[in-house]
Amino acid sequence: MKTYDVVGVGNALVDVLSHVEDDFLAANGVDKGVMTLIDAGRAAELYAAMGPAREISGGSAANTIAGLAMLGARTAYVGKVADDQLGAIFAHDIRAIGADYETPPAPAGQSLGSGRCLVLVSPEGERSMSTYLGVSEALGPDDVDPEMMAAAAWIYLEGYRFDGAASVAAFEKAIRAAKRAGGRVAITLSDPFCVDRHRDAFRALIAADADLLFANEFELMSLYETKELHVAMERVKSDIDMAVVTVGPRGAYVVTPDDVRHAPAVDANVVDATGAGDLFAAGFLSGLIQGRDLSDCAAMGCVAAGEVISHIGARPEADLGDLMKARGLWAR
């Protein structure tokens, strides 16, 4: 029996969320619907222009780990914060939901603060993210405990971390420790522009080391440089044993070398799409941990995603277990 069902590795961020109109995005030079990396000066400028905002712990893989912990999984998280106010908020929140979090903070007074993501939510629920990585970008091999990775049935790697100079080495250390101990590796592509920046590295890692790939349709099409989803899904079959592809209001596909399964999205009032893919991964992995059929795993992912898009913030507010039970998807 492993100590952990899933250990996540990614950007430790605090989300700063605000509702805006589309003309605000245009006036402030924000690309709608994608994640853009920004520096500290741009973060301060954009924050000053935003209206009333709400601070909620985030980070893509951290959101997935939070969802898994809420579903009863044994989890841990690796991500770097500074010894500052936002870092304290992040550490408190992830521990409070039951995940182990032992990554030492960067010392107070160093030049990089904790990372934050300025999330501008459009009227239809689309989110446009401007991310200042801060010290989270400095995550490196020294932050990865091989014993923790060896103690995990799954490790879950956040694609956004490919933007960090030392993060690929951190991933390699985590993968080697997990694989030597019989663990499995899941990775999420995170963002189509992130894929554009690191396509070759993604393809190499997926083919050599990953057991499970999470992507939305645009990320997968970027990975295989095609505008046709069916072409991308056919190509991914030769690289990995299982890929899960979310397609927004159309639900999700589970792709294996011999099969493609579809799960419909659940009905939801879309308030904020932030975290939809993250929580889908949480629901899907929860089903895998329980040994459920892949169709049930995908359905669980859709339920979790449907919950998180129904309110502001990328962490669930309703009891995910109760939502699964209501649909006959919960055995714990």
Side-chain angles (χ1 to χ4, degrees):
M1 174 70 72
K2 295 280 190 178
T3 302
Y4 300 110
D5 295 312
V6 184
V7 173
V9 184
N11 284 328
L13 304 174
V14 175
D15 292 340
V16 182
L17 299 106
S18 181
H19 282 283
V20 300
E21 299 296 328
D22 284 348
D23 58 0
F24 179 92
L25 303 179
N28 287 276
V30 176
D31 291 330
K32 185 174 181 178
V34 299
M35 190 282 287
T36 303
L37 294 175
I38 59 174
D39 60 19
R42 172 65 169 156
E45 172 189 288
L46 189 56
Y47 181 73
M50 292 167 60
R54 179 180 176 191
E55 295 177 350
I56 306 172
S57 287
S60 176
N63 294 334
T64 299
I65 292 299
L68 279 160
M70 293 176 185
L71 285 167
R74 296 163 299 136
T75 61
Y77 181 72
V78 178
K80 204 167 189 68
V81 297
D83 186 10
D84 58 16
Q85 182 179 6
L86 290 179
I89 290 171
F90 180 90
H92 169 269
D93 287 352
I94 197 149
R95 290 170 180 150
I97 51 90
D100 285 352
Y101 178 60
E102 300 175 1
T103 311
Q110 48 81 49
S111 60
L112 298 175
S114 293
R116 75 287 314 257
C117 182
L118 307 181
V119 184
L120 303 175
V121 185
S122 301
E124 77 280 13
E126 184 63 86
R127 79 269 193 246
S128 306
M129 299 177 290
S130 298
T131 303
Y132 168 60
L133 292 173
V135 76
S136 72
E137 192 171 14
L139 182 78
D142 290 346
D143 296 305
V144 173
D145 178 1
E147 292 186 3
M148 176 179 280
M149 301 302 138
W154 284 92
I155 61 171
Y156 179 79
L157 307 177
E158 178 182 322
Y160 282 131
R161 271 295 71 241
F162 272 74
D163 284 318
S167 293
V168 173
F171 279 177
E172 289 173 351
K173 182 178 180 180
I175 289 167
R176 297 284 82 77
K179 290 281 191 177
R180 280 196 298 267
R184 291 182 286 178
V185 176
I187 184 168
T188 175
L189 293 184
S190 295
D191 182 272
F193 293 111
C194 185
V195 176
D196 288 343
R197 292 190 292 271
H198 306 289
R199 183 175 292 107
D200 290 345
F202 273 119
R203 289 286 301 273
L205 188 152
I206 290 164
D209 294 310
D211 301 286
L212 172 58
L213 171 67
F214 288 98
N216 67 31
E217 57 188 312
F218 305 108
E219 293 157 3
L220 195 72
M221 288 188 290
S222 174
L223 186 68
Y224 292 102
E225 298 181 273
T226 176
K227 295 182 179 180
E228 302 291 338
L229 178 58
H230 70 91
V231 172
M233 290 199 298
E234 189 62 32
R235 289 179 182 172
V236 77
K237 291 179 181 180
S238 63
D239 283 345
I240 196 167
D241 289 338
M242 189 188 309
V244 186
V245 187
T246 56
V247 288
R250 307 193 312 280
Y253 292 98
V254 183
V255 182
T256 63
D258 302 317
D259 190 22
V260 176
R261 304 187 189 192
H262 176 256
V266 301
D267 291 333
N269 177 33
V270 181
V271 175
D272 173 15
T274 311
D278 305 335
L279 268 296
F280 178 92
F284 190 92
L285 283 166
S286 178
L288 277 186
I289 291 163
Q290 296 180 47
R292 300 191 72 98
D293 176 87
L294 292 180
S295 295
D296 282 351
C297 294
M300 291 174 71
C302 289
V303 171
E307 191 285 334
V308 81
I309 66 176
S310 68
H311 56 77
I312 285 285
R315 303 279 174 94
E317 294 181 352
D319 188 310
L320 293 181
D322 286 347
L323 295 179
M324 302 298 177
K325 288 176 186 175
R327 294 175 179 267
L329 294 168
W330 195 237
R332 286 199 171 196

